[in-house]
Amino acid sequence: MRAFEAATRHLSFAKISEEQNVTPAAVSQQIKKLEDRLQVQLFGSKNLSLTLSDDTLLVLPGIKGGFDKMMAPVQSL
């Protein structure tokens, strides 16, 4: 889920890999596994950049909200 959330912000596997200290191939595999598990396509591509699918746009607010809620207590430390 962390790779998915980062992908929606960066729209680039290379940028996500830098942020998470993993290879772009590892990011791609994580996204592919999530798509397989959910049985939906989360991203497309256009001009060598990721695009968000309609399904991603539908669930993104809830996922970002969940990450924000998890981070709030940590930031208060």
Side-chain angles (χ1 to χ4, degrees):
M1 291 305 292
R2 179 60 70 189
F4 168 75
E5 188 275 331
T8 64
R9 286 187 284 115
H10 295 296
L11 298 177
S12 162
F13 287 167
K15 289 180 184 176
I16 301 161
S17 69
E18 290 174 19
E19 178 181 295
Q20 297 188 355
N21 274 341
V22 296
T23 65
V27 172
S28 178
Q29 288 179 352
Q30 289 174 9
I31 297 298
K32 177 71 173 127
K33 285 181 183 180
L34 182 59
E35 287 178 329
D36 289 347
R37 185 170 188 171
L38 298 175
Q39 298 181 350
V40 296
Q41 183 177 351
L42 299 171
F43 298 95
S45 64
K46 183 178 181 181
N47 299 329
L48 301 175
S49 182
L50 292 177
T51 59
L52 304 179
S53 72
D54 290 340
D55 289 323
T56 295
L57 293 172
L58 182 67
V59 300
L60 188 56
I63 290 171
K64 284 190 180 232
F67 278 118
D68 290 345
K69 284 180 182 179
M70 287 189 305
M71 290 306 298
V74 173
Q75 290 174 343
S76 69
L77 292 174

